[in-house]
Amino acid sequence: MAGVSPGTVDRILHNRGNVSESARTAVEEVLKKVNYKPNIHISGLSLKRKYKVVITTPTVTEGEYWESIHSGILHALEEYENIRVKLLVHTYNEFDINSCREVYDKIASINADGVIIGLTFKEETKRLTKKLEEKEIPYIFVDSTIENSSPLTFFTSDHYRCGYLMARLITSIIPKGSDIVMSEAVRIGTQRANTSTLRKKGFNDYLVEHNIKNTVLKISYTAMEPEKNDAWMADFFQKQHNIGGMVFFNSRGGVLADYFARNSITNIRLIGVDLTASNVNGLRDGYIDFLIGQEPEHQGFLAMKTLIEYLVYKKPVKVHNHVQLDILTRETIDYYSQFIYMS
Amino acid sequence: MAGVSPGTVDRILHNRGNVSESARTAVEEVLKKVNYKPNIHISGLSLKRKYKVVITTPTVTEGEYWESIHSGILHALEEYENIRVKLLVHTYNEFDINSCREVYDKIASINADGVIIGLTFKEETKRLTKKLEEKEIPYIFVDSTIENSSPLTFFTSDHYRCGYLMARLITSIIPKGSDIVMSEAVRIGTQRANTSTLRKKGFNDYLVEHNIKNTVLKISYTAMEPEKNDAWMADFFQKQHNIGGMVFFNSRGGVLADYFARNSITNIRLIGVDLTASNVNGLRDGYIDFLIGQEPEHQGFLAMKTLIEYLVYKKPVKVHNHVQLDILTRETIDYYSQFIYMS
DNA sequence: CTGTTAGCGCATTCAC
DNA sequence: GTGAATGCGCTAACAG
């Protein structure tokens, strides 16, 4: 239509240069006129280049949070089946900083085209990203981000808002004047980025802003020595009798739901985060009232998709991204699909 | 790999016959060995056949429920850009059964390849589907379905469960012993399928099952004469002083939120259905506590996608489908994207 | 700076 | 029954 060859059009579409101004304007006019939109799937057909993408997260356990992130990444790869990307998975032990360091060193030595990072150790991760920046390798955060870093983009939920929401929910369903228990899993030195901290801040801010005076108790639950928890909880509930509700800022609420189930405790409202297998059980059985989901699959999916589109099509990237906060109850969990993707 | 030509493979893939048993087995073996999966997007490239698809719903108003359904359908079409489907949109006035009948007659006379139906008038729709069945034209329901009909499939939310959920939510946030108001928009003879009825049933069942004795008042709100509502509501709230919360089984809760805003009523909890513009405003401003979303875009998207895959690829169809029930609050609405699709 | 051509995976057509 | 040829939209490689 513009009187030029397909080769020229392609050069214009991809800014490859070597095009005269006259040809460019002529083609661009036609492009606009016919409202041209490239077909990404077919374009992949003739693309030759191969890409190496690294994904690094804590070790993946079945039915847990990180598995969903990985699953989303794989789904994105399926959608772009025509694009040759080689996925290198490097997971580390989230309770062992040395494991993380080792894995990160390995990653820094790979000449990857892009890296997707689900982080636990903040300082370690800063060291890695610094190296990546030097080599000009783009990286994307999932689950949480780090201030003062320069990722290509990140996909997380708004953890502060999550805590704020949890405060709103728990205070609206507990008996007036009853106590609230806030549980954090403080794992020394390993605090998963600052998700829990942010949630806690959101939670407290809600209480202050709404002038809520209920007593807030804290328990520090340990993921390291689960065998001790039972005795420990028994002790706690023996001393506290005015508890109306509890919130878990990490994904371990299911443990408490399980304790409630075994001890027939039904008068304490419970709100948790993440759709882990045990959380979902607790929700289904009625021991957990609300679960907040943060779309881990979607995070992984978007991270991979964005990376591909950036690498292959130079598509501009929006840096700051928040996924949904899903509120689930036992009435809605059956219809909740974690396998949802975005075009 | 099987020592045959691509033509033969294609014949096997699509069961076109004219293939020797030996060739078939040889090819099928290879297919399994390489785990062959056809690439649907590229297959569309060379497909010649064109399809006519009809979509019929109540008239589309901006920012309202049906617009989202249409939008989802359009998005599915974008995803299958290589497949030539001609979309024929036929909307009717949901308050006028004659308009519906006219439109349906028109549709019955079209030789469509498939029809997507968002229904309001149950009996009228039954007449239409009967005709479609005679002509062996597949049809799909969105929003709601009809018992004893034979759609190819339907995509709706579980309206009964929705009502059940609303009962759970409202009773858990209102002061103990306060009254609950239940609002239905009874539009004579036009009850949008039976969504409201199902929700009401779910609502009542929850109350009975959980032995909840709060007084439940009813108001019948009219969409036809909106100018009368203000006086009417003023009258209602003057007489009732123990109202703790209200639930709307249709999407018009925003009207009440608006009334609350203008009259500074803040002590009544409100739960509504659908993310219409006015509902979302009410939620943002704090007059609505929860909105239940039923993924209209997703419904439209899935309906169109399923129809295409059925028509073009003869893909088997799951008849019974329920989309998610999303629970939204003012904390989560900002991150809620209605533009989410499923692969 | 520009045009030509081959080929990606797939479905169709036609000749054998 | 079968295979060869063509073309869909797009990119890459190369010749001019």
Side-chain angles (χ1 to χ4, degrees):
Chain A
M1 285 177 69
V4 300
S5 73
T8 303
V9 176
D10 192 62
R11 262 166 246 134
I12 291 167
L13 283 175
H14 301 87
N15 288 312
R16 290 196 229 285
N18 289 337
V19 177
S20 67
E21 201 46 49
S22 60
R24 151 162 280 113
T25 52
V27 169
E28 277 172 351
E29 234 164 68
V30 176
L31 250 28
K32 189 159 291 175
K33 207 171 87 189
V34 302
N35 187 23
Y36 174 81
K37 291 220 184 72
N39 185 323
I40 218 161
H41 296 104
I42 292 169
S43 128
L45 249 187
S46 46
L47 248 15
K48 291 286 156 56
R49 186 145 155 39
K50 291 172 184 174
Y51 299 89
K52 247 190 292 184
V53 173
V54 173
I55 157 80
T56 180
T57 66
T59 317
V60 171
T61 318
E62 207 187 313
E64 298 287 319
Y65 183 76
W66 293 106
E67 187 189 34
S68 304
I69 298 228
H70 283 250
S71 159
I73 288 175
L74 293 175
H75 277 286
L77 252 23
E78 267 171 41
E79 179 156 309
Y80 287 95
E81 48 188 331
N82 297 324
I83 290 160
R84 287 103 179 73
V85 356
K86 185 168 184 183
L87 190 64
L88 308 171
V89 180
H90 289 275
T91 60
Y92 55 86
N93 180 342
E94 66 177 311
F95 301 109
D96 179 0
I97 196 164
N98 294 311
S99 148
C100 176
R101 187 167 304 161
E102 252 173 59
V103 168
Y104 278 6
D105 283 345
K106 180 81 194 300
I107 291 171
S109 75
I110 300 174
N111 245 320
D113 296 293
V115 182
I116 298 175
I117 305 172
L119 63 150
T120 305
F121 301 96
K122 203 159 143 184
E123 294 306 322
E124 273 316 294
T125 307
K126 275 190 187 169
R127 285 185 46 210
L128 172 62
T129 56
K130 205 172 160 198
K131 286 185 205 165
L132 294 175
E133 280 166 24
E134 277 163 18
K135 296 171 84 176
E136 298 197 333
I137 298 175
Y139 57 92
I140 297 180
F141 288 131
V142 287
D143 178 57
S144 59
T145 186
I146 300 181
E147 335 66 273
N148 304 323
S149 61
S150 306
L152 177 63
T153 170
F154 63 82
F155 296 93
T156 79
S157 66
D158 184 335
H159 303 299
Y160 175 87
R161 186 83 65 105
C162 176
Y164 197 89
L165 169 66
M166 291 171 85
R168 146 101 119 111
L169 290 175
I170 197 74
T171 54
S172 65
I173 60 174
I174 58 173
K176 214 175 163 180
S178 61
D179 300 346
I180 301 169
V181 181
M182 173 197 281
S183 159
E184 320 162 66
V186 183
R187 296 168 287 178
I188 305 105
T190 78
Q191 206 161 8
R192 186 211 271 184
N194 44 3
T195 58
S196 294
T197 315
L198 288 170
R199 286 182 191 134
K200 189 175 158 188
K201 189 164 187 326
F203 189 89
N204 286 327
D205 283 2
Y206 180 91
L207 298 185
V208 171
E209 284 173 26
H210 292 76
N211 197 26
I212 290 169
K213 302 289 192 199
N214 301 49
T215 304
V216 177
L217 305 165
K218 291 179 196 182
I219 58 171
S220 299
Y221 161 84
T222 166
M224 306 298 279
E225 303 170 288
E227 68 283 2
K228 292 192 183 166
N229 284 321
D230 253 45
W232 200 82
M233 288 190 272
D235 184 53
F236 182 81
F237 288 111
Q238 200 156 21
K239 287 183 192 149
Q240 302 294 341
H241 293 292
N242 191 32
I243 301 174
M246 299 181 69
V247 290
F248 270 74
F249 292 138
N250 58 61
S251 62
R252 304 286 166 181
V255 174
L256 193 63
D258 186 52
Y259 178 85
F260 282 4
R262 291 198 317 274
N263 294 276
S264 305
I265 298 177
T266 57
N267 61 337
I268 298 178
R269 306 274 67 85
L270 196 51
I271 297 181
V273 180
D274 288 339
L275 301 196
T276 61
S278 80
N279 269 346
V280 169
N281 283 341
L283 188 71
R284 286 223 161 89
D285 297 342
Y287 295 101
I288 294 178
D289 293 85
F290 291 105
L291 276 180
I292 314 298
Q294 37 178 349
E295 300 199 298
E297 283 231 11
H298 202 194
Q299 289 182 36
F301 180 81
L302 288 176
M304 194 67 216
K305 182 175 164 120
T306 305
L307 185 54
I308 289 177
E309 293 186 342
Y310 171 76
L311 291 174
V312 182
Y313 305 105
K314 297 174 180 63
K315 196 171 156 179
V317 177
K318 187 166 159 268
V319 178
H320 190 96
N321 295 284
H322 281 309
V323 296
Q324 280 181 217
L325 287 169
D326 291 326
I327 303 175
L328 283 306
T329 72
R330 69 190 299 197
E331 287 81 18
T332 67
I333 188 74
D334 292 340
Y335 302 131
Y336 185 69
S337 155
Q338 289 189 71
F339 299 80
I340 286 194
Y341 308 103
M342 179 152 165
S343 295
Chain B
M1 285 179 69
V4 299
S5 74
T8 303
V9 176
D10 190 64
R11 263 166 247 134
I12 292 167
L13 285 175
H14 301 88
N15 288 313
R16 290 197 227 287
N18 287 339
V19 177
S20 66
E21 203 45 50
S22 59
R24 149 164 281 112
T25 51
V27 170
E28 277 172 350
E29 233 164 69
V30 176
L31 251 27
K32 188 160 291 176
K33 209 172 84 188
V34 302
N35 188 23
Y36 175 81
K37 292 216 183 76
N39 185 324
I40 221 163
H41 297 104
I42 292 170
S43 122
L45 246 187
S46 44
L47 246 19
K48 292 284 157 53
R49 183 143 155 43
K50 290 172 185 173
Y51 299 89
K52 246 190 293 184
V53 172
V54 173
I55 158 80
T56 179
T57 67
T59 318
V60 171
T61 319
E62 208 188 312
E64 298 286 320
Y65 183 77
W66 293 106
E67 187 189 34
S68 303
I69 298 227
H70 283 251
S71 159
I73 289 175
L74 260 24
H75 277 285
L77 252 22
E78 268 172 39
E79 179 157 308
Y80 287 95
E81 49 188 331
N82 298 323
I83 291 161
R84 286 103 179 76
V85 356
K86 185 168 182 181
L87 190 64
L88 308 171
V89 180
H90 290 275
T91 59
Y92 55 86
N93 180 341
E94 67 177 310
F95 301 108
D96 179 359
I97 196 165
N98 294 311
S99 148
C100 177
R101 186 166 306 160
E102 252 173 60
V103 168
Y104 278 5
D105 283 345
K106 180 79 195 301
I107 292 172
S109 75
I110 300 174
N111 245 320
D113 296 292
V115 182
I116 299 175
I117 305 173
L119 63 152
T120 305
F121 302 95
K122 203 159 144 182
E123 294 306 321
E124 274 314 297
T125 307
K126 274 190 186 168
R127 285 185 46 210
L128 172 62
T129 56
K130 204 172 163 197
K131 285 184 205 165
L132 293 175
E133 279 165 25
E134 278 164 16
K135 296 172 83 176
E136 298 198 335
I137 297 175
Y139 57 92
I140 298 180
F141 288 131
V142 287
D143 178 57
S144 60
T145 185
I146 301 180
E147 336 65 275
N148 304 322
S149 62
S150 306
L152 176 64
T153 169
F154 63 82
F155 295 93
T156 79
S157 66
D158 183 336
H159 303 298
Y160 175 87
R161 186 82 67 103
C162 176
Y164 197 89
L165 168 66
M166 290 172 86
R168 146 102 119 111
L169 290 175
I170 197 74
T171 55
S172 66
I173 60 174
I174 58 173
K176 214 175 163 181
S178 60
D179 300 347
I180 301 169
V181 181
M182 173 197 281
S183 159
E184 319 162 67
V186 183
R187 296 167 288 178
I188 306 105
T190 78
Q191 206 161 6
R192 185 213 272 182
N194 43 3
T195 56
S196 294
T197 316
L198 288 170
R199 286 184 191 133
K200 189 175 158 187
K201 189 164 186 323
F203 189 90
N204 285 328
D205 283 2
Y206 180 92
L207 297 185
V208 171
E209 283 174 27
H210 292 76
N211 197 27
I212 290 169
K213 303 289 193 200
N214 301 49
T215 303
V216 177
L217 305 165
K218 292 179 195 182
I219 58 170
S220 300
Y221 161 85
T222 167
M224 305 297 279
E225 303 169 287
E227 67 283 1
K228 291 192 184 164
N229 283 320
D230 252 45
W232 200 82
M233 289 190 269
D235 184 54
F236 182 81
F237 289 111
Q238 200 156 22
K239 287 184 191 147
Q240 302 294 340
H241 293 291
N242 192 32
I243 300 174
M246 299 182 68
V247 290
F248 269 74
F249 292 137
N250 57 60
S251 61
R252 305 286 166 181
V255 174
L256 193 63
D258 185 52
Y259 178 84
F260 282 4
R262 290 199 316 274
N263 295 277
S264 305
I265 298 177
T266 57
N267 60 338
I268 298 178
R269 306 273 68 83
L270 196 52
I271 297 181
V273 181
D274 289 339
L275 301 197
T276 60
S278 80
N279 270 346
V280 169
N281 281 341
L283 188 71
R284 285 222 161 87
D285 297 342
Y287 295 101
I288 294 178
D289 294 84
F290 292 106
L291 276 181
I292 314 298
Q294 38 178 348
E295 299 198 300
E297 282 232 10
H298 201 192
Q299 289 182 36
F301 180 81
L302 288 175
M304 194 67 217
K305 183 176 163 120
T306 305
L307 185 54
I308 289 178
E309 292 186 342
Y310 171 75
L311 292 174
V312 181
Y313 304 106
K314 299 173 180 66
K315 198 171 155 178
V317 178
K318 187 167 161 265
V319 178
H320 190 96
N321 295 284
H322 281 310
V323 297
Q324 280 180 219
L325 286 170
D326 290 326
I327 303 174
L328 282 305
T329 71
R330 67 191 300 198
E331 287 81 19
T332 66
I333 188 73
D334 292 340
Y335 302 131
Y336 185 69
S337 155
Q338 291 191 69
F339 298 80
I340 286 193
Y341 307 104
M342 179 154 169
S343 293

